[in-house]
Amino acid sequence: MARLSGRVCIVTGAAQGIGRAIGEALLDEGAKVCFADINGDKVAEVAEANRSRFADSVTSAQVDVTSRARVRAMIDHTVDSFGRLDVKFNNAGVNKPMNFMDVTEDNWNFIMGVNGLGCMIGMQEAARQMIAQGGGGKIVNTASIASRQGFDNVAPYCASKWAVVSLTQSGARDLAKHGITVTGFAPGVVATEMWEQVDQDLMAIGAAERPGQAMEEFSSEILKGRVAKPADITGTTTYLASADSDYMTGQIVMIDGGMTLV
Ligand code: NAD
């Protein structure tokens, strides 16, 4: 039997990149999946692209993860569609590099808002639904190598991803009494549109001279010898959504090809 047969999951930031890959891997293992993203049209296309294979197991929702009302609406839509919520991936994230001394309040608030506050609201509202169902369930947060080291040019991003680690630990402690586990995973350098944008942004602030340079330099220490594809991440995310990880909580799994050894 498929490892996630009938398990109802939500993945945010699922219109592209890592989130889309997480959702599609969950479908492959028999889950029912709500793909959610601030880009409602694009995430609806992702759901549609999967409908021919997975028919009634797919839906989508437009959501801004910083809006508690929109997050509640996304969960209500999922429960209306599939009857319950078993696994919530808080994966939506943003980055906008700035030289450390140039970081502004707007840059900080934007990044901390989506990556930090968005993660906390997502955990709280998912847990509220799981508790109302009688407890149990899994929350999985997307951290980063930037959760383990501070890098120049992306200080608010690093702070926001350290926040994801502490939220994972705090949530695990608080929600254990309801049988809810909270885990996370920390990718290194994954070739997605986020990195294409970061590459351009680093050139714009003078931290790189040519396209691809920042990614090459940043990832030169990867023991596996190459950057990741989203498909390199999904073996672990499916595991974290499955019963195989039931005895894990409060932990972050590094998936960075050996870039950061902690
Ligand atoms: P991406 O930019 O390709 O995708 C992110 C998605 O999040 C987009 O579809 C975007 O529309 C959505 N999003 C942004 N703000 C949102 C909001 N307020 N509400 C809902 N959705 C919103 O990025 P990715 O590379 O797939 O990254 C996914 C996650 O993985 C992020 O949390 C990111 O920080 C993390 N991560 C990425 C890398 C990497 O190298 N790509 C490394 C470590 C961690």
Side-chain angles (χ1 to χ4, degrees):
M1 193 163 83
R3 275 189 295 168
L4 301 177
S5 193
R7 202 165 274 218
V8 178
C9 309
I10 296 175
V11 185
T12 65
Q16 62 188 35
I18 295 170
R20 176 176 183 163
I22 292 170
E24 291 179 341
L26 297 172
L27 286 173
D28 281 336
E29 288 290 342
K32 297 178 186 298
V33 180
C34 176
F35 291 77
D37 201 283
I38 198 166
N39 188 335
D41 290 342
K42 193 168 179 185
V43 83
E45 285 169 22
V46 169
E48 195 51 43
N50 282 287
R51 205 155 271 130
S52 61
R53 282 184 65 209
F54 297 105
D56 297 338
S57 295
V58 187
T59 190
S60 66
Q62 193 277 340
V63 68
D64 177 348
V65 297
T66 67
S67 160
R68 193 177 291 277
R70 295 302 306 159
V71 170
R72 279 199 187 136
M74 169 190 70
I75 292 171
D76 288 347
H77 168 72
T78 304
V79 174
D80 287 348
S81 302
F82 301 134
R84 55 187 288 111
L85 173 64
D86 298 304
V87 185
K88 169 80 193 305
F89 280 88
N90 294 304
N91 172 74
V94 293
N95 196 358
K96 186 73 184 167
M98 295 189 83
N99 290 315
F100 181 80
M101 292 299 286
D102 297 331
V103 170
T104 60
E105 287 82 341
D106 282 351
N107 180 260
W108 172 271
N109 289 335
F110 169 58
I111 295 167
M112 287 298 286
V114 177
N115 300 0
L117 179 64
C119 180
M120 189 187 73
I121 290 174
M123 291 171 66
Q124 290 172 321
E125 295 306 325
R128 238 181 274 289
Q129 173 62 32
M130 291 167 181
I131 293 165
Q133 293 167 186
K138 289 169 175 278
I139 295 171
V140 185
N141 298 326
T142 304
S144 169
I145 48 170
S147 300
R148 300 298 192 191
Q149 290 182 23
F151 297 97
D152 55 356
N153 304 323
V154 287
Y157 182 78
C158 296
S160 73
K161 290 297 183 178
W162 284 69
V164 169
V165 175
S166 63
L167 287 168
T168 301
Q169 295 179 356
S170 298
R173 288 192 195 281
D174 189 61
L175 297 172
K177 58 184 171 286
H178 301 291
I180 299 168
T181 64
V182 187
T183 58
F185 63 97
V189 180
V190 189
T192 64
E193 289 177 44
M194 174 179 275
W195 245 105
E196 287 171 22
Q197 186 60 49
V198 164
D199 220 53
Q200 285 178 25
D201 291 341
L202 288 170
M203 282 174 57
I205 63 170
E209 287 169 7
R210 58 176 172 77
Q213 179 190 345
M215 196 187 211
E216 278 167 34
E217 288 177 2
F218 197 73
S219 53
S220 61
E221 305 290 319
I222 298 174
L223 298 183
K224 291 289 286 182
R226 62 170 178 82
V227 302
K229 306 180 291 293
D232 291 312
I233 307 300
T234 55
T236 303
T237 53
T238 296
Y239 163 73
L240 292 175
S242 77
D244 292 340
S245 60
D246 275 358
Y247 197 63
M248 280 179 70
T249 193
Q251 300 294 335
I252 302 287
V253 183
M254 303 297 297
I255 325 170
D256 65 350
M259 191 172 168
T260 312
L261 302 184
V262 289

